[in-house]
Structure formats: C-alpha cells, structure tokens
Amino acid sequence: MALTAEEVQYLAEKALAVRRHIITMTGAAGSGHPGGSLSATDLLVALYFLIMRVDPQRPQWPDRDRLVLAKGHAAPALYAVLAERGYFPVEELLTLRRFGSRLQGHPDMKRLPGVEASTGSLGQGLSIANGMALAAKLDGKDWRVYALLGDGETEEGQVW
Amino acid sequence: MTAAHRKLDNLTAIVDYNRLQIDGDVREVKSVQDLARRLEAFGWRVWEIDGHNWQEIVGALEEARRSKGRPGAIIAHTVKGKGVSFMEGKVDWHGTAPKGEEVERALAELGKAVRP
C-alpha cells in the first residue's frame, strides 16, 4: 500500500532530525562513524516509526518486534532513532562515547533500553537475529526480527 | 543457511548497501559479487530497493512481513554520508567525526539546528 503524502512528510522530518543528531553527536564526541550512520538512517526511521511493533515505554515487552543492528558501528543512527522514538531523553545523545555513558561507541544491550543485542563485531548480528527468530517460532509467537547489516559485513563467513 | 532451513519467515535482513567500507570499495576489498543471487541461492527471498525512497523501503518491508515460508532479505542501495554533500560517497567519513566548521556546514544543509 502506497504511503500518503503526510506519511512521507512525517518520515522525512524524522530522518532529518536523526541526521542532525548524528552530526551533533559525533561532532561532540570527536569520534564515531557518521558515514554509515547517515546511509542507514532512512531504513531505521521507517522501521521504528512505521513498521515495527514496539512500545518505548515497555522496552522489554515480550511481544515486541526486535531489531539487531548488526553493523554496530552505526550506533549513532540507532541511538538517535531510539531517542526520537521516546526510549530515552534526546539530551542524552550528547553523551555519546563519554566515559560512563549508556551510549557507547557500539551498542550495549546491558546498558541502554531498546538495544536488543550488543554488536560491533561484524558478522555476528545475523546469527543473533536467527536465534531470536527461531525462539519466536518455537514459542508460537508472532513478533518479528529485523537485522541491519552493512554490505561490507556480508564478506564475513558467519553471515553465510 | 540456518534461516532458510528453519523457514524463518519472521526474519528480515536488511543490507545497507552503500558500497564503501573502512578500507575502500566493497567490491575491491572482498567482492561478494551478485549479492541478490547469492542470497537467493541460500534460500532467501530478496528485494532490491533504493534505500532512500520511502515508498520502496516501506513497500519492501511490508511485502517481507507478508511473505511466508522463507526468510526475507532487502538489499537497500544507499549513499554513504547521505544528506551531507561533502560526506556523500566519501570513504574518509566512514570513521571520522566532523569538527567545528564541518559540523556547522552539515547542520546548515540538514535544516535548522538540532534541539536542544
């Protein structure tokens, strides 16, 4: 079903906000991965603002859809999307890569609500997503799993 | 292989196909050649889309959600650094943060300043 003009406008505005966050965050941190964060922005915005069944107030809701950011170095894009979606305050984005911050250079599922898997070691994310999807099948649940990979990441043997 | 063997149609892999990785052009570092055919050979249903076109992104994700019996893979053709002219298609911006005036130029291109 085609998107309405209003839906496109809504997604485009969210994507613009996320891209601004990516620049501001990595600029403040003095390090990070802007290139692959900016390329993945529209995909993550569509997932979190239109496609995925999630509730930011209940990040551990058992029936939520899951996203594994296999290309974990694009963490700034994920963090910005999660903050815009309401998982945590937008102000916290500026703590990216600081000592003690929940927003590490690569996503840490033990620290930040909304992060489904700790990633960054390329090739592992799709395997993690496989396990989650199989778990849903075994439990007879209807939640879905998404994995976002880099194209360079598909060189990893573990992907296959 | 696992995903197709287990018929994980509740799994969708999305590949951010921006053609660049830290060491350069993906095809030169280690080419996966025809990624779509390779995924299909492993039992996946594959869509190829423009990863910056909202209709195509949402259309493929909705089709993948409805698809039964096989895992789905969406190859999303994207531009590294998308949205900031001096970053687009430049491998130098894989792992380098913008500084001072670069931040200002990028934010100016992306519209009004970020809040707060």
Side-chain angles (χ1 to χ4, degrees):
Chain A
M1 198 170 64
L3 295 169
T4 65
E6 288 76 20
E7 286 171 323
V8 169
Q9 177 73 18
Y10 173 71
L11 293 170
E13 284 179 7
K14 287 295 174 194
L16 205 53
V18 167
R19 287 194 164 93
R20 288 197 297 266
H21 288 314
I22 291 167
I23 295 300
T24 309
M25 294 162 75
T26 55
S31 63
H33 296 85
S37 295
L38 292 167
S39 64
T41 294
D42 297 335
L43 301 167
L44 288 169
V45 166
L47 283 166
Y48 275 94
F49 286 91
L50 201 69
I51 297 292
M52 284 169 60
R53 184 174 71 190
V54 292
D55 179 356
Q57 304 306 312
R58 291 184 295 160
Q60 295 296 322
W61 177 36
D63 289 332
R64 70 192 184 282
D65 290 345
R66 275 88 164 157
L67 173 108
V68 175
L69 186 71
K71 49 173 291 181
H73 57 285
L78 178 64
Y79 297 154
V81 167
L82 291 176
E84 282 288 326
R85 190 69 176 77
Y87 283 84
F88 58 87
V90 167
E91 292 78 4
E92 194 172 339
L93 291 174
L94 288 174
T95 70
L96 176 73
R97 288 180 169 241
R98 287 207 193 141
F99 187 71
S101 170
R102 299 193 292 179
L103 278 56
Q104 291 297 297
H106 294 79
D108 186 340
M109 64 183 288
K110 297 285 176 68
R111 291 194 188 212
L112 191 64
V115 172
E116 298 287 356
S118 300
T119 50
S121 183
L122 297 174
Q124 296 179 354
L126 187 58
S127 297
I128 297 169
N130 271 350
M132 289 176 171
L134 182 57
K137 289 277 185 192
L138 292 172
D139 286 346
K141 301 294 187 184
D142 70 346
W143 46 267
R144 297 188 56 80
V145 184
Y146 297 89
L148 181 60
L149 290 77
D151 53 351
E153 184 175 8
T154 62
E155 295 161 11
E156 295 281 353
Q158 185 171 350
V159 169
W160 304 99
Chain B
M1 287 193 280
T2 303
H5 178 73
R6 297 282 189 171
K7 299 184 172 57
L8 299 180
D9 52 16
N10 56 346
L11 172 67
T12 305
I14 305 157
V15 180
D16 178 9
Y17 202 95
N18 63 28
R19 303 166 68 98
L20 292 170
Q21 62 189 96
I22 190 165
D23 290 320
D25 189 312
V26 168
R27 291 164 302 181
E28 292 175 9
V29 176
K30 186 165 80 175
S31 177
V32 293
Q33 299 171 13
D34 190 333
L35 181 60
R37 281 186 60 204
R38 200 160 280 210
L39 285 163
E40 282 167 356
F42 275 76
W44 292 63
R45 184 168 174 199
V46 178
W47 291 263
E48 276 201 89
I49 62 164
D50 173 349
H52 301 303
N53 178 306
W54 297 110
Q55 301 286 359
E56 291 190 24
I57 296 170
V58 172
L61 286 168
E62 288 186 338
E63 277 190 37
R65 183 162 56 192
R66 287 194 297 269
S67 179
K68 294 296 173 201
R70 282 194 287 168
I74 298 171
I75 300 173
H77 293 272
T78 58
V79 175
K80 197 146 186 162
K82 175 70 176 179
V84 179
S85 62
F86 61 90
M87 291 186 174
E88 288 187 356
K90 298 281 196 335
V91 73
D92 304 349
W93 291 102
H94 171 89
T96 307
K99 291 192 283 286
E101 183 259 350
E102 293 164 342
V103 172
E104 298 308 318
R105 275 168 61 206
L107 290 178
E109 287 189 20
L110 293 167
K112 62 182 183 299
V114 69
R115 63 180 165 82

